[in-house]
Amino acid sequence: MSLTRRSFLGALGAGSAATALPFITARGMEPVSAGYRELRSSRPNPLGLAEIRLDSNENPYGPAPQALEAIQGMFSEACRYPDVSNEKLISAIAKHLKVKDENILLGQGSSEILRVAVDTFTDPSRGLVTASPTFELPTNRARVLGVPVVETALAPGLLLDLDRMTDASASAGLVFLCNPNNPTATMHGPAAVKGALDRMLAASLDSVILVDEAYFEYVTRADHETMIPLALANPRIVVARTFSKVYGMAGLRVGYAVGQPATLARMARNVLVNNINVLAAAAAWTSLSVPGHAARQQATNTEVKGTTVRFFESRGYQVVPSEANFIMVDIQRPMQGFRQACRDRGVMVGRPFPPFDTHVRISIGTGEEMRQATEVFGQILQG
């Protein structure tokens, strides 16, 4: 039976559907942590549009239909602890990546992997080296733990400054390298990343480097390579991946780390036991088995992103080259006012990322969402 979101929720019943809807369509904590709910307008949308959510880099198409069917097929296992389903998911990921099961550590989204890396590899004397701006979860976690943090400014073109990060890595317990980077969507090619990793490893005898490849499947550059082979070869390199982006499962919370068994065993001490529920696990392993699914999602994102980029560039605004499912646009004015005006019209865009106060991060929605959103953008920017 073909299962749509509507039929899936209908099968649950009205009461259960109300509970399940946030589970299936839940957005990340990113907008919530930025005061998202307080900032949302309570006024009716003057254009009569449904709220368009372009603020958290989610895949608006959601999981593959086969993944939703797999969730329904696992309802009978909801009474069981997820030991077996977690093992099956590990094996599915390992097969997909052509690695061994022992090279995979599951996390509740890659967020748990990032948190656990900070918990495992840093302490008050061996801190975190990261960039600013980049995905801030490692920074926030380190500060909660009282761990020193070195945040390196970005290089020209809003790229990570790999040289500065290397210079700071000598005293680091953990180096966090997000590539493509969030919020800029910029990416270093494999030669630059490999060279930086070599220099970082040489600069310190015990620091660990975490390469965040959350947006890996969206990259279209011909020279793109994963750093997983380096993580398999070196115990001081770990790669983080997620099902939240191209697989459309941000609300289901499935991620994983790839690395050497001894390194992952150290991290596993800080991971929640049975951290992936049976429904999410089934959706994840099924997603990996759908032929061409990730490629189709990448192609759709590339097409809609290209149309959105052309909209801004045709009006004289600079768009930072993007290798992800979002763009960073210099709107040549303070972004806070633009953001508020968009919210008032039912379009949610990204929060501020100082010091780039005239840049706005815009996630790529569906083609129709972006058509409506760019209409709103045009009205605001013209005013």
Side-chain angles (χ1 to χ4, degrees), residues 45-378:
N45 187 326
L47 300 182
L49 305 176
E51 183 177 270
I52 300 175
R53 302 167 74 170
L54 311 178
D55 54 350
S56 292
N57 301 346
E58 297 142 336
N59 180 347
Y61 301 99
Q66 295 92 327
L68 295 178
E69 291 176 355
I71 291 174
Q72 187 182 45
M74 285 293 283
F75 283 167
S76 63
E77 292 297 306
C79 61
R80 306 298 180 188
Y81 288 109
D83 306 74
V84 173
S85 62
N86 280 199
E87 291 174 3
K88 182 174 178 178
L89 176 56
I90 288 172
S91 294
I93 295 170
K95 181 179 178 180
H96 176 71
L97 297 177
K98 298 180 174 60
V99 303
K100 297 178 180 179
D101 289 13
E102 63 188 13
N103 296 123
I104 303 297
L105 176 67
L106 296 180
Q108 288 188 355
S110 57
S111 296
E112 185 178 21
I113 297 300
L114 272 53
R115 177 190 63 76
V116 164
V118 175
D119 291 358
T120 303
F121 302 119
T122 68
D123 58 45
S125 64
R126 302 285 288 172
L128 171 71
V129 171
T130 184
S132 180
T134 191
F135 187 53
E136 64 272 71
L137 188 152
T139 300
N140 293 343
R141 181 61 178 174
R143 287 176 173 155
V144 166
L145 298 176
V147 167
V149 177
V150 176
E151 296 178 278
T152 60
L154 298 184
L158 273 65
L159 286 161
L160 298 177
D161 194 325
L162 298 178
D163 290 335
R164 286 188 180 182
M165 295 182 75
T166 299
D167 291 342
S169 64
S171 61
L174 179 69
V175 179
F176 176 65
L177 199 160
C178 186
N179 192 52
N181 187 39
N182 176 17
T184 62
T186 55
M187 190 194 93
H188 284 281
V193 175
K194 290 177 182 178
L197 295 182
D198 285 343
R199 295 193 301 274
M200 291 175 186
L201 293 171
S204 170
L205 296 178
D206 58 357
S207 59
V208 173
I209 306 164
L210 177 62
V211 182
D212 186 347
E213 293 186 349
Y215 301 95
F216 175 84
E217 292 90 351
Y218 281 117
V219 176
T220 59
R221 280 179 51 158
D223 66 343
H224 187 38
E225 293 179 19
T226 178
M227 294 299 111
I228 286 176
L230 297 186
L232 298 177
N234 194 305
R236 294 169 54 201
I237 298 175
V238 177
V239 171
R241 290 281 191 91
T242 184
F243 285 83
S244 295
K245 305 304 178 183
V246 81
Y247 293 106
M249 291 173 48
L252 292 173
R253 313 309 302 134
V254 184
Y256 56 95
V258 187
Q260 287 200 2
T263 305
L264 300 184
R266 292 176 62 190
M267 296 174 65
R269 301 185 191 116
N270 295 307
V271 169
L272 182 67
V273 177
N274 289 334
N275 52 359
I276 309 299
N277 69 72
V278 295
L279 306 183
W285 75 57
T286 301
S287 295
L288 293 177
S289 70
V290 179
H293 175 69
R296 287 191 295 273
Q297 293 298 307
Q298 180 207 61
T300 300
N301 174 75
T302 300
E303 179 183 1
V304 178
K305 180 171 64 176
T307 301
T308 307
V309 169
R310 288 190 291 273
F311 164 83
F312 283 106
E313 291 182 339
S314 69
R315 288 158 177 78
Y317 299 104
Q318 182 180 5
V319 181
V320 179
S322 167
E323 290 291 344
N325 64 335
F326 58 94
I327 58 175
M328 194 78 153
V329 187
D330 185 354
I331 59 172
Q332 303 168 14
R333 66 184 73 181
M335 63 82 62
Q336 284 282 39
F338 174 81
R339 183 184 184 223
Q340 180 63 59
C342 288
R343 281 200 305 271
D344 290 344
R345 292 162 173 80
V347 179
M348 309 299 155
V349 298
R351 66 191 184 283
F353 293 97
F356 302 102
D357 296 327
T358 65
H359 288 70
V360 59
R361 191 191 68 183
I362 300 171
S363 305
I364 301 302
T366 66
E368 178 59 21
E369 285 178 331
M370 298 315 295
R371 185 194 68 77
Q372 295 179 1
T374 51
E375 185 174 320
V376 169
F377 299 156

